[in-house]
């Protein structure tokens, strides 16, 4: 699947926020690419820059305070960080779409569901109102919302979170995009609904050949949907591998930490939430405006040496198609 | 569903309207001076020269000797049938006076409302969209000046500038005489304050909405800025602004009374002030009642508008 030319390619993308505390390096030189029909998972703890990275692709970062300060986002031969406002609008919601974490607040409460799905259709595909409404109903059927005709005139507040996220998916896929960026699409949902939504995205992806970037902090989700995985820590990519290689043979101590932090069944039955954030690695993510010269994970790592504190680890190929940024060699 | 709500709201507004009527009646009666003297066409000077029997006769004739409650009930039942009595002073039916004055006031209020809504909302949007930039500073400056300027003073300034110094508009006169020109300055004078308040509310409400997730969703759909702001932003930001607009109606009536008088526009405000000068109780009561009812109805209208705009409060 990953042999073909990438649909979307990020190179050394850097997004900073100017704050009172200093420059927050939310995304600090991240590269990845994703091919048609492929699912790339981006994982990492809360605050490591996953959302900022995803929003940077479509230039949705609030500016000020945020700004893409370096790198490129190559799509269809164009660098999206450089194209005009008009051009990026043609891409947004049309060639590259996005689903957000909060289905409860991501839809417009004052606009009918039908209208919200129709909007990108009239905008990008030049459909008439009637054609767009017909297609909106098809999309509702596609995301398996029963009574689609009735729901065209419904409002978001009449729907559950899962249904709203389905509507978000319908909006995102309405124009048959090449790339779908899903920023923690299931985090706010019940576990059973989570699985349904992931399955839905997967099935639609197969049907349409969409490249999916699945952002999550949940390795369970990664194992379920991803072909390839990018692990992020403090605004940087620390590991990248096929999903099988990653789980079989993690090369970065942080990834290993994440894996041991996966909630186990005995804990779940104890009443712990499967959804809980991965904070079980000792220590906290450093503030992104005050990162050390060496490895940002050094303080929380059990393999730390002096070199880790003075030199930034190089992102290198540890084994074929398996990359990591760590001075240590992990044996499996 | 909307009609049931409408009906219910109409029924609920009956007590309000009764209160308004009571207040109107009391205001007329509590104002100082003797209506009988006024009715005889005399001022306070002439008071001493009147025979007490004569005064008593006029009082009896006007029903002023009856117990206040009897007077009230009689006035109210007649008012409900559209009969506000006959002016003591001009001996013209009050309903006729009100009917003649109403179009001017209505026109003035509709114009003021339109101008202040259009200007206020535009200023507020400009302010929010260009937050922290020149457009925002200019819009906010205008709003601050607007909020802190008294209506009657602004009316006089406008009159001095654009009717006296540069005589583009008439100093005073009615719509019948000068057409729209007669309405321009009074409209501007009354609109300034509500426009400024609307602009402020629009700005803060719009800024709040623009930070919501749904705005990001709308942007991510590839919609133009204009569409994101006007269709998604404005529609969600407008409710608190409508409330402010509704409340402004009360202030508008107050402003209209003074400004009509300053520009000698023959509206309800002028009628009311003349009634007060003349101690013409029935005119005062009639004018206050009509203004009050209009106010209550406008509040009702705002509530209904709310329900039409926001699908979440259609219960
Ligand atoms: N508008 C902003 N102003 C300043 N800093 C910001 C802003 N938005 C994000 N950041 C910073 O960027 C960093 C990355 O945030 P981001 O939202 O991308 O994290 P995340 O990995 O998506 O976390 P989560 O799992 O909680 O969604 C954070 O440290 C955050 O403080
Ligand atoms: Mg996030």
């Amino acid at each position: 699947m990953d042999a073909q030319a990438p649909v979307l390619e990020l190179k050394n993308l850097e997004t900073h926020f100017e704050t009172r505390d200093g420059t927050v390096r939310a995304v600090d030189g991240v590269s990845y690419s994703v091919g048609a029909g492929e699912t790339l998972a981006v994982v990492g703890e809360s605050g490591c820059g996953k959302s900022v990275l995803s929003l940077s692709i479509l230039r949705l970062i609030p500016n000020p305070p945020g700004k893409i300060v370096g790198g490129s986002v190559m799509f269809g031969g164009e660098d999206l960080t450089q194209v005009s406002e008009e051009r990026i609008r043609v891409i947004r919601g049309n060639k590259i779409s996005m689903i957000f974490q909060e289905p409860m607040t991501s839809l417009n409460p004052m606009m009918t569901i039908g209208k919200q799905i129709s909007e990108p259709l009239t905008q990008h595909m030049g459909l008439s109102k009637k054609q767009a409404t017909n297609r909106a109903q098809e999309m509702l059927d596609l995301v398996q919302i029963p009574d689609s005709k009735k729901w065209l005139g419904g409002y978001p507040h009449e729907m559950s979170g899962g249904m709203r996220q389905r509507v978000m998916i319908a909006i995102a896929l309405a124009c048959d995009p090449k790339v779908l960026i899903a920023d923690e699409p299931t985090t706010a949902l019940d576990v059973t609904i989570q699985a349904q939504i992931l399955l839905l995205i997967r099935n639609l992806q197969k049907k349409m050949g969409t490249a999916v970037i699945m952002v999550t902090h949940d390795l369970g989700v990664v194992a379920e949907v991803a072909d390839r995985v990018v692990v992020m820590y403090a605004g940087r990519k620390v590991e990248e591998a096929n999903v099988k290689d990653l789980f079989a043979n993690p090369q970065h101590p942080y990834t290993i930490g994440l894996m041991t932090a996966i909630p186990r069944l005995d804990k779940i039955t104890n009443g712990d939430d499967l959804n809980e954030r991965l904070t079980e690695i000792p220590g906290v993510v450093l503030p992104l405006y005050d990162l050390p010269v060496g490895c940002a994970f050094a303080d929380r790592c059990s393999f730390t040496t002096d070199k880790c504190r003075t030199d930034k680890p190089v992102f290198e190929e540890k084994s074929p198609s398996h990359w990591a940024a760590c001075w240590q060699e992990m044996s499996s | 569903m909307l009609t049931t709500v409408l009906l219910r709201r109409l029924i609920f507004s009956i007590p309000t309207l009764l209160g308004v009527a009571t207040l109107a009646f009391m205001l007329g009666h509590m104002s100082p001076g003797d209506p009988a003297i006024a009715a005889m066409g005399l001022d306070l000077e002439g008071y001493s020269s009147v025979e007490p029997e004569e005064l008593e006769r006029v009082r009896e004739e006007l029903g002023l000797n009856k117990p206040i409650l009897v007077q009230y009930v009689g006035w109210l039942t007649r008012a409900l049938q559209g009969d506000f009595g006959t002016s003591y002073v001009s001996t013209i039916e009050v309903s006729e006076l009100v009917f003649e004055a109403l179009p001017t006031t209505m026109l003035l209020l509709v114009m003021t409302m339109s101008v202040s809504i259009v200007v206020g909302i535009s200023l507020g949007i400009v302010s929010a969209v260009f937050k922290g930039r020149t457009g925002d500073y200019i819009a906010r400056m205008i709003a601050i000046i607007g909020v802190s300027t008294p209506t009657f003073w602004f009316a006089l300034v406008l009159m001095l500038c654009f009717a006296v110094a540069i005589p583009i508009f008439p100093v005073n006169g009615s719509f019948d005489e000068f057409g729209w020109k007669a309405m321009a300055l009074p409209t501007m004078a009354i609109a300034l304050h509500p426009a400024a308040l609307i602009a402020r509310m629009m700005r803060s409400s719009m800024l709040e909405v623009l930070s919501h997730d749904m705005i990001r969703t709308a942007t991510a759909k590839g919609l133009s800025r204009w569409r994101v702001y006007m269709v998604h932003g404005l529609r969600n930001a407008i409710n608190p602004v409508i409330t402010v607009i509704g409340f402004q109606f009360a202030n508008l009536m107050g402003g209209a009374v003074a400004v009509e008088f300053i520009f000698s526009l023959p509206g309800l405000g002028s009628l009311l002030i003349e009634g007060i000068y003349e101690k013409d109780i029935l005119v005062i009561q009639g004018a206050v009642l009509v203004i009050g009812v209009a106010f209550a109805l406008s509040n009702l209208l705002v509530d209904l508008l709310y329900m039409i705009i926001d699908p979440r409060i259609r219960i």
Side-chain angles (χ1 to χ4, degrees):
Chain A
M1 251 193 250
D2 46 13
Q4 49 196 246
V7 185
L8 178 75
E9 191 170 12
L10 274 56
K11 284 185 195 149
N12 279 319
L13 199 63
E14 283 180 57
T15 305
H16 292 178
F17 291 94
E18 294 303 332
T19 67
R20 250 174 292 148
D21 295 322
T23 303
V24 173
R25 296 164 187 277
V27 174
D28 196 13
V30 173
S31 309
Y32 67 64
S33 63
V34 57
E38 188 188 19
T39 300
L40 176 79
V42 176
V43 264
E45 281 170 302
S46 192
C48 71
K50 306 182 297 290
S51 293
V52 174
L53 177 62
S54 312
L55 292 168
S56 298
I57 296 171
L58 285 175
R59 302 216 311 237
L60 294 171
I61 297 293
N63 177 10
K67 197 168 191 305
I68 298 172
V69 294
S72 60
V73 176
M74 298 307 293
F75 177 80
E78 287 174 293
D79 180 358
L80 299 188
T81 63
Q82 302 299 323
V83 298
S84 65
E85 258 315 293
E86 285 74 39
R87 185 69 196 139
I88 193 88
R89 275 208 292 274
V90 175
I91 310 263
R92 284 177 188 154
N94 182 23
K95 309 274 192 221
I96 304 179
S97 299
M98 199 160 173
I99 314 171
F100 302 98
Q101 183 168 340
E102 281 300 332
M104 301 317 264
T105 54
S106 289
L107 291 166
N108 185 339
M110 301 286 198
M111 199 184 262
T112 61
I113 304 292
K115 188 91 202 305
Q116 299 195 52
I117 305 175
S118 302
E119 250 188 337
L121 292 164
T122 46
Q123 174 85 15
H124 298 298
M125 303 179 80
L127 298 190
S128 69
K129 259 190 179 161
K130 196 161 161 25
Q131 289 169 319
T133 309
N134 288 339
R135 171 109 174 118
Q137 195 185 340
E138 280 173 36
M139 289 311 297
L140 284 177
D141 290 332
L142 202 63
V143 296
Q144 294 158 12
I145 286 185
D147 257 340
S148 54
K149 195 169 178 75
K150 187 199 105 191
W151 277 115
L152 285 176
Y155 287 91
H157 70 272
E158 300 159 342
M159 290 185 142
S160 68
M163 284 176 93
R164 290 189 208 187
Q165 202 58 301
R166 283 171 194 269
V167 171
M168 282 299 289
I169 295 171
I171 293 172
L173 296 181
C175 296
D176 203 355
K178 296 248 181 301
V179 182
L180 173 70
I181 306 168
D183 186 0
E184 311 211 29
T186 60
T187 304
L189 304 175
D190 291 344
V191 188
T192 46
I193 311 290
Q194 274 189 23
Q196 290 172 12
I197 296 286
L198 289 178
L199 189 69
L200 176 70
I201 294 177
R202 190 146 189 91
N203 288 340
L204 294 177
Q205 171 188 29
K206 280 211 186 106
K207 205 179 277 181
M208 299 171 151
T210 321
V212 173
I213 298 168
M214 177 69 66
V215 177
T216 180
H217 62 261
D218 185 345
L219 280 177
V221 171
V222 175
E224 208 166 310
V225 303
D227 297 311
R228 227 152 29 86
V229 188
V230 163
V231 182
M232 278 184 76
Y233 185 78
R236 290 173 165 250
K237 185 168 75 166
V238 295
E239 184 159 2
E240 177 172 352
N242 284 323
V243 67
K244 281 203 191 85
D245 290 347
L246 188 88
F247 279 97
N249 196 10
Q251 289 295 313
H252 197 284
Y254 175 62
T255 314
I256 297 171
L258 285 182
M259 286 178 183
T260 50
I262 290 185
R264 291 183 315 262
L265 199 60
D266 51 340
K267 285 183 64 189
I268 298 168
T269 45
N270 275 345
D272 279 5
D273 189 359
L274 187 65
N275 248 340
E276 77 188 81
R277 300 256 154 167
L278 301 173
T279 50
E280 298 181 37
I281 304 171
V284 288
V285 185
L286 292 169
L288 298 182
Y289 53 85
D290 189 21
L291 291 176
V293 274
C295 176
F297 191 59
D299 281 343
R300 301 170 71 188
C301 182
S302 43
F303 304 92
T304 308
T305 60
D306 287 345
K307 192 176 187 192
C308 297
R309 301 216 178 264
T310 51
D311 295 303
K312 267 210 167 70
V314 186
F315 194 73
E316 54 187 9
E317 199 163 15
K318 302 285 188 182
S319 60
S321 304
H322 193 150
W323 304 67
C326 181
W327 293 122
Q328 310 302 319
E329 293 299 325
M330 297 290 144
S331 53
S332 46
Chain B
M1 201 164 63
L2 216 57
T3 39
T4 19
V5 175
L6 178 65
L7 220 68
R8 202 165 64 202
R9 287 306 316 263
L10 269 175
I11 291 168
F12 276 133
S13 54
I14 288 174
T16 318
L17 293 177
L18 261 179
V20 166
T22 313
L23 206 68
F25 180 80
M26 276 166 32
L27 278 176
H29 266 272
M30 281 175 353
S31 37
D34 191 335
I37 302 268
M40 291 164 79
L42 300 170
D43 51 17
L44 281 177
E45 303 285 288
Y47 190 79
S48 44
S49 63
V50 179
E51 296 292 325
E53 300 84 46
E54 175 71 359
L55 200 62
E56 203 52 32
R57 196 185 54 74
V58 174
R59 285 216 175 103
E60 194 67 39
E61 215 174 84
L62 295 174
L64 291 168
N65 281 341
K66 288 181 195 153
I68 194 96
L69 212 61
V70 176
Q71 287 189 47
Y72 172 61
V73 171
W75 174 78
L76 191 61
T77 25
R78 269 176 271 124
L80 280 177
Q81 296 154 359
D83 174 13
F84 300 125
T86 306
S87 162
Y88 300 152
V89 180
S90 63
T91 63
I92 301 174
E93 287 216 1
V94 174
S95 55
E96 200 181 317
L97 290 173
V98 168
F99 194 72
E100 270 170 17
L102 205 55
T104 301
T105 303
M106 293 270 269
L107 182 63
L108 186 61
L109 289 184
V110 168
M111 284 178 71
T112 313
M113 223 46 215
S114 316
V115 168
S116 58
I117 289 172
V118 170
V119 172
I121 288 184
S122 315
L123 274 183
I125 292 175
V126 166
S127 228
V129 169
F130 296 104
K131 189 196 170 200
R133 287 188 260 169
T134 325
D136 184 21
Y137 287 123
I138 294 172
R140 275 161 72 193
M141 190 79 93
I142 297 174
I144 288 172
I145 293 171
V147 169
S148 44
T149 305
T151 300
F152 76 92
W153 183 82
F154 188 55
L156 290 172
V157 169
L158 282 178
M159 187 189 268
L160 283 177
C161 291
F162 299 107
V164 178
I166 318 166
I168 313 171
F169 300 106
V171 174
N172 56 37
S174 65
F175 182 73
D176 292 340
E177 294 167 74
F178 298 100
W180 298 109
K181 277 193 166 184
M183 309 303 286
L185 293 184
T187 300
M188 277 193 266
I190 311 171
L192 180 72
H193 195 255
L197 285 174
I198 292 169
R200 278 188 165 185
M201 186 43 108
M202 188 71 240
R203 178 180 189 272
S204 64
S205 177
M206 190 75 164
L207 278 180
E208 215 253 318
V209 167
L210 287 183
S211 70
H212 283 186
D213 289 352
M214 62 171 164
I215 294 299
R216 196 179 53 191
T217 309
T219 314
K221 281 178 177 175
L223 305 178
S224 65
R225 262 168 196 262
W226 175 259
R227 224 187 131 75
V228 172
Y229 291 142
M230 298 318 248
V231 177
H232 290 271
L234 186 59
R235 189 74 200 282
N236 281 282
I238 202 74
N239 268 8
V241 179
I242 290 177
T243 311
V244 167
I245 292 173
F247 284 138
Q248 283 322 298
F249 228 83
N251 294 351
L252 274 193
M253 305 257 185
V257 171
V259 170
E260 274 182 9
F261 193 69
I262 291 172
F263 287 96
S264 309
L265 278 178
L268 277 179
S270 295
L271 185 67
L272 178 62
I273 292 184
E274 275 157 28
I276 291 169
Y277 271 133
E278 308 271 6
K279 280 298 302 168
D280 205 345
I281 293 192
L282 289 175
V283 169
I284 300 174
Q285 288 168 340
V288 170
L289 181 64
V290 171
I291 292 174
V293 167
F295 176 57
L297 288 182
S298 71
N299 271 350
L300 187 67
L301 207 70
V302 170
D303 282 355
L304 289 177
L305 206 61
Y306 235 58
M307 279 188 286
I308 290 166
I309 284 188
D310 192 337
R312 285 170 300 187
I313 48 178
R314 272 178 220 155
I315 326 146

